[in-house]
Amino acid sequence: MKSLEKLFAMAPEFTIPPMVTNFFTSTLNTNEKRAMVIAAVALIFAWFAAILYRNVVTSLARSYVPFMARLLAPILRSYSYDEEEFFKADGADLSTQKKRKAGFRKLASSFNRKYVKSREAMGKGLSDLRFTNTNRVPFPFQKIVQDTLKVGSLVVSTNGPEVQDVDGNWAIDLSGSYGVNVAGNEMYKKWMGNGCHKTADLGPVLGPLHPVVIENVKMLQEITGLDEVSFHMSGTEAVMCAIRLARFNRKRRKIVQFNGAYHGWWDGVQPGPGNERSVPDVITLKDMNPLSLATIRARGAELAAVIVNPFQAFHPNSPPPSDLVLMSNKARKTDAGISALNHPYAVWLRKLREACDENDVPLIFDEVYSGFRLSRGGGAAYFGVKPDMIVYGKTLGGGMPVGVVCGKEKLMRRFDPLHPLRVAYVIGTFSAHPSVMGSMNEFLQWVTTPESQKIYEDGQRSFDEFAASTNEALALAGMPLKITNLATVFTFEFTCPSRYHWMFQYYLRDQGVNLAWVGTGRCIVSLDFTKEHYKKLQDRIMAAAKRMAADGFWSAEIVSSNARQAARMAKELAFHSAIMPFKSFYDKVMEQKEIDHHASHSHLINQFLHFISSSIFIWCYVEVMVSKTGDWSWPVELGLISLLVRQAGHYVFEPPCHDAEQAMLGFDTRAKVKICLLYGGVFSAFLGRWMARQSGYETAVRLTDVWLLATLLIVFGRVAVLWRRYSFAVSMHWWLKFMTDPFTDLPAYWRSCYQVFSPRLLKDAFAKSFPKWFPNHVPIPIEDLGNGWGVDHAKAH
Ligand code: PMP
């Protein structure tokens, strides 16, 4: 205690409360001390309880979809149905399969007639197209669909909401250009032209700004009620900017986002499907869940921001539905057009706003999709909630590429006035590009007029009427689908289970309806749809649905429930993911053996020596297995001899062709030379020991141990090298091949045992290895019979 007092004395500037010094200097009485200890324990307990509560609440509110997606992605194996399985994936009977086949063929030949030029011109080389073309349908169906139903994607002109492809086919466009097309193609054509014209005198000057930029900023400030604006080239880039600024200004790293919400392709906001990287600074919570609010409250101090995509109102907790996942009628959970302010999502957003306010956490609305779509004021106005930052994109560019962030001044700052080196370097060459700003200016001027307000209202009314009458017609015709919409975005919701819902996109296309690559999951109409367009669209939807039903793809009696269908699919997946990998592993090993044969084991004498050596090896394996004494010196020594016999075959008669190995295997066995030198060293040691014995000396080291060690080192060294250079799988293929070579050599090379006694074949074999000794020899033409690795030399001539 004395030393403590001294310590206290050394720090006179701190006045230590007498309670504390008294506690240590024992001037407190026992009760006081007890009270203090209890208080400390209670404090520690409360602290732990708070941590426990925070973690429990987070784990209950967290969505495990991202984690599961990353876990399952490398495990689940892809597989493709063949022609037969393709039409009976749900166990359909023969007559339904026939109907389906005929319908499918009809569709294919119609596509072949329609998309001649488009298909030819497209060719290969555009990776986006390869991705979207592949991911239109569930994977077991992909191969046949890709080979047969070739959709043309080259378009040349638009006329209102109709689009024309290079083959001259016109289709009603439900793709909405990924959400860009709100006002109608003709408007964007005008704005793009006017925008370029407005800024044409400036040309490509960047840095100094064209005055339209200032006008745009003013209009955006008015629309959003936020202080500052920043311009970018895409929605993804704008989301990156918003999150980075929130992190910088809040001095926190963690972001909350909600399950299923799309925020662009930056992997920093894709913690689940579509991204292999784990994103530890994003917490993905369940949408519309009170526990998520509790989590935000409990973790408020750690959060940089909460980001919301207001379009989740349409299908909370799930990504935008696409035909890729259309396996059952459960894939669509949509909230049929409940209007705005009393929409359950509006209530949720208001609660979210409160939770964020209480903890001073910025709330970001990602309105790249919903901005100027749900209403003129986007999701914020539609649901009546005011965020701290809004991210825009798509339509705001007036047809040109754009991303915009609007936010409160304190969140938009990119420098720290107190720390000159703390800077958030967020700036891009093409931000505020004159042409983009010009067309944005056109768009903003239009969207802020009273006429546009009326266009929004009329457009919404017409769409609602269309949706109601189409649903009535579909129900009347007994079709298992209906339309559900949020503003002018809609989805086809299927009312019966089927493995073939995704086929509907192809029937629609064939009727003249253009869809985005996600197919019937997300369809968009623009505000320029007239009554005639809607009538045409309804007729085409009805015709497509009736054709699909008639072709037997919705035979409800076949798959009676989602559960039965899910069980069927789970069985298929389990088979392909758990059983098939073993088969493909086996195939790979056998393929390596075959390649190895062709690269360096096709010589008669070499094969014969391999047969001998393999037989000895097998004997050695058996000896080691049955040995009761544990003394393996004899089999190990024999193993060495057999290896020498084996390698002699290569050294004398048939050197391995490394180039062939490299070409066929992807790696070669050049290192074999070094390996053999090492073996040679061990062999010399044997000789040395023998000579030493002859001279009356006994060696202390058991050379068999040295040899065994060398072998293990070399084999596992090679496994390690292959693993590091290629992959674990490649190293295991090699290892298994190596271990089982003696067993597969026997059936492969047994013929050589009698063929070596044929003088003709023997002479031919020698002539092959030593052509100088046989100058006039005409080689026997050996054809590989192609039945594994055992070339039948006798049959070959
Ligand atoms: N956020 C949302 C809500 C989106 O819908 C999208 C695009 N669909 C993005 C961000 C990304 O925008 P972009 O494709 O322009 O990068």
PDB file of all heavy atoms in Angstrom, residues 321-335:
ATOM      1  N   PRO A 321     -37.973 -10.646 -57.822  1.00  0.00           N
ATOM      2  CA  PRO A 321     -38.155 -11.998 -58.339  1.00  0.00           C
ATOM      3  C   PRO A 321     -37.704 -12.086 -59.785  1.00  0.00           C
ATOM      4  O   PRO A 321     -37.932 -11.169 -60.567  1.00  0.00           O
ATOM      5  CB  PRO A 321     -39.652 -12.236 -58.217  1.00  0.00           C
ATOM      6  CG  PRO A 321     -40.259 -10.897 -58.076  1.00  0.00           C
ATOM      7  CD  PRO A 321     -39.226  -9.973 -57.539  1.00  0.00           C
ATOM      8  N   SER A 322     -37.034 -13.164 -60.129  1.00  0.00           N
ATOM      9  CA  SER A 322     -36.643 -13.347 -61.525  1.00  0.00           C
ATOM     10  C   SER A 322     -37.048 -14.751 -61.942  1.00  0.00           C
ATOM     11  O   SER A 322     -37.309 -15.601 -61.102  1.00  0.00           O
ATOM     12  CB  SER A 322     -35.143 -13.180 -61.682  1.00  0.00           C
ATOM     13  OG  SER A 322     -34.497 -14.332 -61.219  1.00  0.00           O
ATOM     14  N   ASP A 323     -37.071 -14.978 -63.250  1.00  0.00           N
ATOM     15  CA  ASP A 323     -37.460 -16.301 -63.719  1.00  0.00           C
ATOM     16  C   ASP A 323     -36.470 -17.372 -63.288  1.00  0.00           C
ATOM     17  O   ASP A 323     -36.773 -18.549 -63.300  1.00  0.00           O
ATOM     18  CB  ASP A 323     -37.593 -16.283 -65.245  1.00  0.00           C
ATOM     19  CG  ASP A 323     -38.885 -15.606 -65.654  1.00  0.00           C
ATOM     20  OD1 ASP A 323     -39.911 -15.920 -65.050  1.00  0.00           O
ATOM     21  OD2 ASP A 323     -38.856 -14.751 -66.548  1.00  0.00           O
ATOM     22  N   LEU A 324     -35.286 -16.927 -62.913  1.00  0.00           N
ATOM     23  CA  LEU A 324     -34.252 -17.848 -62.474  1.00  0.00           C
ATOM     24  C   LEU A 324     -34.703 -18.678 -61.273  1.00  0.00           C
ATOM     25  O   LEU A 324     -34.324 -19.826 -61.120  1.00  0.00           O
ATOM     26  CB  LEU A 324     -33.030 -17.018 -62.090  1.00  0.00           C
ATOM     27  CG  LEU A 324     -31.768 -17.746 -61.743  1.00  0.00           C
ATOM     28  CD1 LEU A 324     -31.265 -18.467 -62.966  1.00  0.00           C
ATOM     29  CD2 LEU A 324     -30.736 -16.763 -61.255  1.00  0.00           C
ATOM     30  N   VAL A 325     -35.489 -18.070 -60.417  1.00  0.00           N
ATOM     31  CA  VAL A 325     -35.880 -18.772 -59.192  1.00  0.00           C
ATOM     32  C   VAL A 325     -37.304 -19.293 -59.252  1.00  0.00           C
ATOM     33  O   VAL A 325     -37.842 -19.745 -58.243  1.00  0.00           O
ATOM     34  CB  VAL A 325     -35.724 -17.850 -57.961  1.00  0.00           C
ATOM     35  CG1 VAL A 325     -34.268 -17.540 -57.714  1.00  0.00           C
ATOM     36  CG2 VAL A 325     -36.509 -16.570 -58.131  1.00  0.00           C
ATOM     37  N   LEU A 326     -37.901 -19.215 -60.427  1.00  0.00           N
ATOM     38  CA  LEU A 326     -39.307 -19.605 -60.508  1.00  0.00           C
ATOM     39  C   LEU A 326     -39.480 -21.109 -60.509  1.00  0.00           C
ATOM     40  O   LEU A 326     -39.466 -21.754 -61.526  1.00  0.00           O
ATOM     41  CB  LEU A 326     -39.923 -19.028 -61.777  1.00  0.00           C
ATOM     42  CG  LEU A 326     -40.400 -17.617 -61.620  1.00  0.00           C
ATOM     43  CD1 LEU A 326     -41.190 -17.202 -62.830  1.00  0.00           C
ATOM     44  CD2 LEU A 326     -41.274 -17.503 -60.391  1.00  0.00           C
ATOM     45  N   MET A 327     -39.631 -21.679 -59.353  1.00  0.00           N
ATOM     46  CA  MET A 327     -39.823 -23.117 -59.264  1.00  0.00           C
ATOM     47  C   MET A 327     -41.170 -23.419 -58.630  1.00  0.00           C
ATOM     48  O   MET A 327     -41.743 -24.468 -58.822  1.00  0.00           O
ATOM     49  CB  MET A 327     -38.740 -23.731 -58.395  1.00  0.00           C
ATOM     50  CG  MET A 327     -37.388 -23.650 -59.033  1.00  0.00           C
ATOM     51  SD  MET A 327     -37.201 -24.933 -60.256  1.00  0.00           S
ATOM     52  CE  MET A 327     -35.448 -24.999 -60.396  1.00  0.00           C
ATOM     53  N   SER A 328     -41.637 -22.501 -57.820  1.00  0.00           N
ATOM     54  CA  SER A 328     -42.907 -22.788 -57.155  1.00  0.00           C
ATOM     55  C   SER A 328     -43.701 -21.488 -57.096  1.00  0.00           C
ATOM     56  O   SER A 328     -43.210 -20.440 -57.455  1.00  0.00           O
ATOM     57  CB  SER A 328     -42.643 -23.281 -55.743  1.00  0.00           C
ATOM     58  OG  SER A 328     -42.182 -22.200 -54.979  1.00  0.00           O
ATOM     59  N   ASN A 329     -44.920 -21.568 -56.587  1.00  0.00           N
ATOM     60  CA  ASN A 329     -45.667 -20.316 -56.483  1.00  0.00           C
ATOM     61  C   ASN A 329     -45.312 -19.580 -55.199  1.00  0.00           C
ATOM     62  O   ASN A 329     -45.890 -18.576 -54.865  1.00  0.00           O
ATOM     63  CB  ASN A 329     -47.174 -20.553 -56.580  1.00  0.00           C
ATOM     64  CG  ASN A 329     -47.668 -21.444 -55.473  1.00  0.00           C
ATOM     65  OD1 ASN A 329     -46.871 -22.059 -54.783  1.00  0.00           O
ATOM     66  ND2 ASN A 329     -48.969 -21.526 -55.310  1.00  0.00           N
ATOM     67  N   LYS A 330     -44.333 -20.122 -54.460  1.00  0.00           N
ATOM     68  CA  LYS A 330     -43.917 -19.446 -53.233  1.00  0.00           C
ATOM     69  C   LYS A 330     -42.843 -18.401 -53.516  1.00  0.00           C
ATOM     70  O   LYS A 330     -42.519 -17.612 -52.652  1.00  0.00           O
ATOM     71  CB  LYS A 330     -43.352 -20.466 -52.258  1.00  0.00           C
ATOM     72  CG  LYS A 330     -44.414 -21.097 -51.410  1.00  0.00           C
ATOM     73  CD  LYS A 330     -43.759 -21.771 -50.256  1.00  0.00           C
ATOM     74  CE  LYS A 330     -44.778 -22.196 -49.226  1.00  0.00           C
ATOM     75  NZ  LYS A 330     -44.197 -23.147 -48.314  1.00  0.00           N
ATOM     76  N   ALA A 331     -42.267 -18.462 -54.716  1.00  0.00           N
ATOM     77  CA  ALA A 331     -41.155 -17.564 -55.012  1.00  0.00           C
ATOM     78  C   ALA A 331     -41.583 -16.108 -55.041  1.00  0.00           C
ATOM     79  O   ALA A 331     -40.781 -15.209 -54.992  1.00  0.00           O
ATOM     80  CB  ALA A 331     -40.522 -17.932 -56.334  1.00  0.00           C
ATOM     81  N   ARG A 332     -42.858 -15.841 -55.135  1.00  0.00           N
ATOM     82  CA  ARG A 332     -43.343 -14.457 -55.198  1.00  0.00           C
ATOM     83  C   ARG A 332     -44.086 -14.102 -53.922  1.00  0.00           C
ATOM     84  O   ARG A 332     -45.158 -14.629 -53.666  1.00  0.00           O
ATOM     85  CB  ARG A 332     -44.325 -14.308 -56.362  1.00  0.00           C
ATOM     86  CG  ARG A 332     -43.740 -14.613 -57.705  1.00  0.00           C
ATOM     87  CD  ARG A 332     -42.855 -13.453 -58.125  1.00  0.00           C
ATOM     88  NE  ARG A 332     -41.965 -13.865 -59.184  1.00  0.00           N
ATOM     89  CZ  ARG A 332     -42.272 -13.814 -60.466  1.00  0.00           C
ATOM     90  NH1 ARG A 332     -43.442 -13.393 -60.835  1.00  0.00           N
ATOM     91  NH2 ARG A 332     -41.409 -14.183 -61.358  1.00  0.00           N
ATOM     92  N   LYS A 333     -43.485 -13.246 -53.147  1.00  0.00           N
ATOM     93  CA  LYS A 333     -44.246 -12.755 -51.994  1.00  0.00           C
ATOM     94  C   LYS A 333     -44.416 -11.282 -52.238  1.00  0.00           C
ATOM     95  O   LYS A 333     -43.518 -10.496 -52.012  1.00  0.00           O
ATOM     96  CB  LYS A 333     -43.457 -12.989 -50.712  1.00  0.00           C
ATOM     97  CG  LYS A 333     -43.497 -14.406 -50.237  1.00  0.00           C
ATOM     98  CD  LYS A 333     -43.024 -14.452 -48.799  1.00  0.00           C
ATOM     99  CE  LYS A 333     -42.527 -15.835 -48.461  1.00  0.00           C
ATOM    100  NZ  LYS A 333     -41.101 -15.985 -48.633  1.00  0.00           N
ATOM    101  N   THR A 334     -45.539 -10.888 -52.752  1.00  0.00           N
ATOM    102  CA  THR A 334     -45.707  -9.482 -53.083  1.00  0.00           C
ATOM    103  C   THR A 334     -46.861  -8.907 -52.283  1.00  0.00           C
ATOM    104  O   THR A 334     -47.723  -9.622 -51.811  1.00  0.00           O
ATOM    105  CB  THR A 334     -45.995  -9.297 -54.565  1.00  0.00           C
ATOM    106  OG1 THR A 334     -47.025 -10.182 -54.910  1.00  0.00           O
ATOM    107  CG2 THR A 334     -44.777  -9.599 -55.394  1.00  0.00           C
ATOM    108  N   ASP A 335     -46.833  -7.626 -52.199  1.00  0.00           N
ATOM    109  CA  ASP A 335     -47.850  -6.940 -51.419  1.00  0.00           C
ATOM    110  C   ASP A 335     -48.726  -6.176 -52.388  1.00  0.00           C
ATOM    111  O   ASP A 335     -48.360  -5.129 -52.864  1.00  0.00           O
ATOM    112  CB  ASP A 335     -47.142  -5.966 -50.466  1.00  0.00           C
ATOM    113  CG  ASP A 335     -47.708  -6.081 -49.091  1.00  0.00           C
ATOM    114  OD1 ASP A 335     -48.895  -6.418 -48.986  1.00  0.00           O
ATOM    115  OD2 ASP A 335     -46.952  -5.822 -48.135  1.00  0.00           O
TER     116      ASP A 335
END
